[in-house]
Amino acid sequence: MRTAYIVKAYRTAVGKAPRGVFSFKRPDELAAETIKYMMEKLPNFDKERIEDVIVGNAMPEAEQGLNVGRLISLMGLDTVKVPGVTVNRYCASGLETIAMASAKIQAGMADCIIAGGAESMSYIPMGGYKPVPDYKLAAAGHEDYYWGMGLTAEAVANEYKVSREDQDEFAFNSHQKSLKALSEDRFQDQIVPITVDETYVDGNGKKQTRSFTVNKDEGPRADTSKEILAKLRPVFADGGSVTAGNSSQMSDGAAFALIMSEEMVKEFNLEPIARLVSYTAVGIEPRIMGVAPITAIPKALKQAGLQQKDLELIELNEAFASQSLAVVRTLDLDPDRVNVNGGAISMGHPLGCTGAKLSVQLFDEMRKRDLKNKYGMVTMCVGTGQGAAGVYEFLS
């Protein structure tokens, strides 16, 4: 089996939805501009050698519909010769695409693929514009198949006995870690500057336009405190413990990686960043979907022939503080290795983009820590009772 290498990986900053910095920026534009930026870093590479663009997206309709993967390929590469496809495994979509690209290259079905994800929660509401559950399925006692993630977070908090106080403290710490990382410019090398052209109505009722560049994550809140978090009301269940403050933020963003075979890496004399050692997706009860990493992480480690202690860093998507704490406690993960720069509660969670975005962050942090030939993981829970985990070896 051949080896697949990640040679470039970038992301946009993450904007708040629905009224953040990317509220006037379409998701296909975010993705295309990220890919163009990545191609500029390889000026002597023939982009028509790319054999596919695989795009993860959790709500593929409206501005994200019409096989947005193909449209992103056309927009980002300025050629009709590279196909594109859209993949949906909800929150794991961005990681799934990297796994698919790596597997195709390993199997000899391709030599070069762009993979990642894009999502605009400003443009497309959670669940899409017209969710239509199967009434018979729900009536048969499977209504939890259609539960919103907030309800599953409450179920996890109850079943795993995660207190409101612990959830709020976890959320506060997420913001503190992200604010520290921002103050140290730890994300700047991985972020593609995006220009936004905004149209608005001024105080005199006249139409105005303005342009600005986005190159910093919008989510972390310097004014967050434990006292403020403690005052927020539960939003998903009467008497519950899950609030807007200890949940992930709705977000907009894009992230992509360029993946090549070993033969092509040598042909162009490139230095690979990382390789995906193993990847797995698992299924559990949809009612407690947030704890699926408890199953996915050991499975991915077994595939890789590794143990938990071999992981230098772990990016665990913070869908909710309740499920994050349940995973960390059940698996006895080292808190000092998990989400060292904060997570989705502070940084945001642009659904189908997140798996690729966390991968980009992992590579960059491992580079800053000089963790060459060491291992890291990206893992997350996934709607309707799924989970995913991928192990990377960092190479340079």
Side-chain angles (χ1 to χ4, degrees):
M1 187 169 63
R2 303 194 308 171
T3 302
Y5 290 114
I6 295 163
V7 296
K8 295 291 179 184
Y10 294 98
R11 69 177 180 92
T12 67
V14 175
K16 291 183 177 181
R19 291 180 290 276
V21 290
F22 291 141
S23 58
F24 282 82
K25 197 75 171 180
R26 289 173 57 103
D28 47 5
E29 293 176 330
L30 285 174
E33 291 178 31
T34 302
I35 289 172
K36 285 182 178 180
Y37 182 92
M38 186 161 59
M39 291 296 98
E40 290 171 1
K41 301 300 179 181
L42 294 168
N44 299 320
F45 179 72
D46 179 5
K47 60 192 175 185
E48 292 187 355
R49 296 284 300 274
I50 299 166
E51 292 161 274
D52 208 353
V53 175
I54 310 177
V55 179
N57 183 265
M59 303 295 160
E61 59 176 89
E63 289 86 355
Q64 298 177 162
L66 302 172
N67 185 13
V68 72
R70 169 58 171 161
L71 295 171
I72 288 168
S73 174
L74 291 166
M75 296 165 64
L77 295 173
D78 295 320
T79 175
V80 300
K81 294 185 178 180
V82 181
V85 64
T86 308
V87 172
N88 183 6
R89 198 189 289 278
Y90 286 158
C91 306
S93 300
L95 182 60
E96 182 77 29
T97 65
I98 294 173
M100 291 173 66
S102 297
K104 289 183 74 173
I105 291 170
Q106 288 171 322
M109 298 173 67
D111 280 297
C112 184
I113 297 174
I114 290 176
E119 197 86 35
S120 174
M121 300 181 77
S122 291
Y123 277 72
I124 315 298
M126 179 71 76
Y129 284 109
K130 189 184 177 184
V132 186
D134 186 323
Y135 170 77
K136 292 180 181 178
L137 188 63
H142 297 299
E143 66 277 1
D144 58 314
Y145 289 10
Y146 301 108
W147 276 11
M149 290 192 295
L151 292 177
T152 70
E154 288 285 4
V156 167
N158 291 331
E159 190 155 322
Y160 286 79
K161 295 179 172 53
V162 184
S163 70
R164 166 69 185 270
E165 292 73 22
D166 286 352
Q167 292 176 59
D168 288 346
E169 181 162 352
F170 183 90
F172 174 74
N173 289 335
S174 180
H175 281 278
Q176 294 305 301
K177 288 188 285 187
S178 295
L179 290 166
K180 183 176 184 293
L182 284 173
S183 71
E184 296 172 352
D185 287 333
R186 294 195 75 81
F187 302 127
Q188 290 312 106
D189 294 339
Q190 59 193 255
I191 291 179
V192 175
I194 299 291
T195 300
V196 176
D197 298 317
E198 182 177 358
T199 301
Y200 66 100
V201 177
D202 65 17
N204 297 318
K206 292 186 177 181
K207 180 180 176 181
Q208 302 287 352
T209 59
R210 62 185 173 194
S211 295
F212 55 92
T213 299
V214 179
N215 61 4
K216 285 188 180 294
D217 297 299
E218 190 180 20
R221 296 179 59 99
D223 60 349
T224 296
S225 68
K226 295 178 185 178
E227 292 73 24
I228 290 173
L229 290 168
K231 293 178 181 178
L232 297 177
R233 295 180 179 179
V235 291
F236 299 107
D238 186 23
S241 60
V242 180
T243 71
N246 57 40
S247 306
S248 57
Q249 300 182 34
M250 294 193 300
S251 310
D252 307 325
F256 287 91
L258 182 64
I259 307 167
M260 290 183 181
S261 67
E262 185 173 11
E263 293 78 6
M264 184 174 277
V265 168
K266 290 179 179 178
E267 178 186 347
F268 288 95
N269 194 28
L270 298 172
E271 187 174 6
I273 298 171
R275 69 182 182 94
L276 183 66
V277 181
S278 69
Y279 171 77
T280 189
V282 301
I284 66 167
E285 292 182 51
R287 181 181 61 85
I288 51 169
M289 68 94 191
V291 297
I294 293 172
T295 305
I297 290 173
K299 187 175 179 182
L301 287 170
K302 184 177 180 180
Q303 284 182 357
L306 299 172
Q307 299 179 33
Q308 210 166 275
K309 63 181 177 61
D310 297 317
L311 298 174
E312 301 291 336
L313 296 173
I314 300 172
E315 290 289 342
L316 166 64
N317 185 44
E318 297 171 358
F320 300 90
S322 64
Q323 58 85 209
S324 298
L325 284 166
V327 172
V328 169
R329 290 171 177 176
T330 302
L331 293 180
D332 194 25
L333 299 180
D334 182 355
D336 292 332
R337 301 187 186 197
V338 177
N339 299 355
V340 294
N341 293 320
I345 289 173
S346 58
M347 298 283 288
H349 177 22
L351 298 181
C353 162
T354 292
K357 178 243 186 196
L358 294 181
S359 299
V360 174
Q361 287 184 203
L362 179 70
F363 305 151
D364 197 40
E365 186 62 26
M366 293 189 80
R367 178 183 64 82
K368 287 180 169 64
R369 296 179 179 227
D370 194 25
L371 295 175
K372 190 174 181 179
N373 300 124
K374 302 292 186 179
Y375 299 96
M377 173 176 278
V378 172
T379 183
M380 65 276 293
C381 58
V382 182
T384 63
Q386 300 179 84
V391 175
Y392 289 103
E393 181 184 15
F394 178 72
L395 301 171
S396 65

